[in-house]
Amino acid sequence: MPELASTFAALADPTRLLIVERLLREGEHSVGELAAPLPISMPAVSRHIRVLEDAGLIERRVDRQWRRYRVRPEALRTIDDWLSHHRAFWTGSLDRLERMVGKKRRRS
């Protein structure tokens, strides 16, 4: 699952996570709009955006002279699929443990 690893690596950085969360919350933004509330330089924001693009988390749309960025929903689906698989495993495991503990308590 190399794409999942690069997705989590990209989201591990707090600035990149903030950018993705903002795009999810507010929709498309230009680099300048994304950079405005951040305490880092425009080149640093551009580097973060490049990492997010390379990981497939966001995509760029050219609107005349503006580059606008938005989250790629299919990238988030990959994360959701992975989490769903592990959630099902752990839910099943904990349910089995709960049944076993319940049986032992009734025997005591």
Side-chain angles (χ1 to χ4, degrees):
M1 292 188 167
E3 68 183 38
L4 188 61
S6 66
T7 298
F8 282 132
L11 292 174
D13 181 89
T15 300
R16 291 193 289 267
L17 184 58
L18 281 173
I19 290 170
V20 170
E21 286 177 337
R22 184 162 177 218
L23 290 172
L24 284 169
R25 204 175 41 251
E26 301 172 8
E28 280 189 356
H29 281 293
S30 67
V31 176
E33 291 167 337
L34 290 171
L38 299 173
I40 58 176
S41 68
M42 185 69 84
V45 172
S46 293
R47 286 191 295 275
H48 283 298
I49 287 173
R50 171 65 67 175
V51 171
L52 292 169
E53 273 187 296
D54 290 346
L57 284 162
I58 64 173
E59 61 188 3
R60 178 184 348 172
R61 181 178 68 83
V62 178
D63 179 21
R64 292 183 293 260
Q65 76 271 19
W66 299 104
R67 289 184 185 99
R68 310 223 13 112
Y69 294 89
R70 61 182 166 218
V71 172
R72 293 182 62 242
E74 54 274 11
L76 298 180
R77 239 176 264 118
T78 302
I79 296 170
D80 187 50
D81 291 346
W82 183 83
L83 287 171
S84 294
H85 169 76
H86 289 280
R87 186 179 305 115
F89 169 79
W90 283 108
T91 299
S93 296
L94 292 172
D95 287 348
R96 285 189 299 280
L97 178 63
E98 188 175 274
R99 285 192 301 271
M100 287 175 58
V101 169
K103 286 179 185 178
K104 287 183 180 183
R105 284 186 184 158
R106 284 182 283 219
R107 290 180 191 164
S108 305

